[in-house]
Amino acid sequence: MRRNSAFGERLEQLKRHGKEIIDNGRRLSVVRESEKIKVLIQAKRKQLMDELGKPPFVRIIDRLAFVFGLLVMCVTEYFLLRAPQLMYLWYTALIFPLMAIRFFMYHKIKFHYFMLDFCYFCQFMLLFYLFGFGSLLEGERKVNLFKVVFAMSTGPLAWGTVVWRNSLVFHDMDKLTSVFIHLCPPLVTFCLRWYPLHGDLTTACGGGPCTLGFNDTIMMPMYLYMFWQVAYYLKTELIDRKKLQSDQEIMTSSRWMSERHPHPIYKWARKRGYKWSPKGLLMIVQIVYTILSMAPLPLFINNYLLHCGFLLAIFVNLLWNGASYYFEVFSESYSKRIEALRKEA
């Protein structure tokens, strides 16, 4: 009996030992498989990083924007060179979808109050001139409205490309839209002035000489500017005041100038202890800028070469800013984006 009991115990020990050996073997197998999986993941990760590191790596939306930007520029060139009298139709075909896209993009990041700025008001005024109905745009009224639209487009809107450092960056839909907003109205009014759809070069001015006096250059445009300024103030400071105070992430021009990217004049005033209101300072700066930008307009409306030279200089500035962006900003941001993707992977 004792021998049988000892034998049984010995047998149980052998079974447990055998089971431990089997379990250890399984563990070793699992470890080996785990190591293989890790090696495979690392290999795939390296392959992904290699693909990401191959220039140019851009997103589909960037590629689409790049193609769209080039196509728009080519078609715009066609209209300017072959059918300038129809340039206003090309502008009209683009303005509505671009504004819809911009509103969607800006609303998503709470920048949509920027679309109340003066440059968007200028788009409305140009469209109103192009497609106004009835007696509102007959005779002298239409001539006066053309001169006002010409002044606002070729003045503050065109110079806005310089002041706000617009750049011709083909892969960035936001930058392309900004260029369109500031450059296309000056191009449209240029074509309306020098390439009318019907009649001679004086058609836009009602058949008389195209001249801009002080009233046409400064006073009438400033009346409209003050109308916009009052409406903007009522909207942001009275009607939507509670909404803007409750959500500090909603960006307006005054917040941008004083908080996100302080204006040089605002920073200068703060350093010297002046506690100027950002809104008041913004109004003063915009009024002075608008008047100065419209001062040379009588020369442009009377001289084709000067007008062409001015628009060419604006376009060269856009190209220069675009080149600076690609070689200085984009290359750095591209590297940061690749590094971020590597960390995520």
Side-chain angles (χ1 to χ4, degrees), residues 155-160 163 284-294:
L157 213 57
W159 280 102
V163 174
I284 295 173
V285 170
Q286 285 185 327
I287 289 174
V288 173
Y289 158 75
T290 302
I291 293 174
L292 291 177
S293 66
M294 293 188 297

Side-chain angles (χ1 to χ4, degrees), residues 99-114:
M99 290 302 96
I101 294 172
R102 166 149 288 191
F103 180 80
F104 173 78
M105 294 173 63
Y106 273 22
H107 193 275
K108 189 176 181 180
I109 59 176
K110 298 186 178 182
F111 275 22
H112 50 289
Y113 272 75
F114 278 126

Side-chain angles (χ1 to χ4, degrees), residues 20-62:
E20 290 175 359
I21 293 174
I22 293 173
D23 290 341
N24 289 335
R26 288 176 178 174
R27 292 193 189 97
L28 289 173
S29 178
V30 170
V31 170
R32 292 193 189 98
E33 290 297 324
S34 177
E35 291 296 330
K36 289 181 180 179
I37 293 173
K38 288 181 179 179
V39 171
L40 181 61
I41 291 175
Q42 289 176 354
K44 292 294 183 181
R45 186 178 182 181
K46 186 177 183 303
Q47 183 181 359
L48 175 62
M49 293 303 103
D50 292 340
E51 290 296 324
L52 293 178
K54 293 179 180 179
F57 174 73
V58 290
R59 297 169 299 174
I60 292 297
I61 189 66
D62 293 337

Side-chain angles (χ1 to χ4, degrees), residues 144-161:
N144 291 335
L145 184 58
F146 168 75
K147 291 180 178 180
V148 170
V149 170
F150 180 91
M152 293 192 302
S153 299
T154 314
L157 213 57
W159 280 102
T161 61

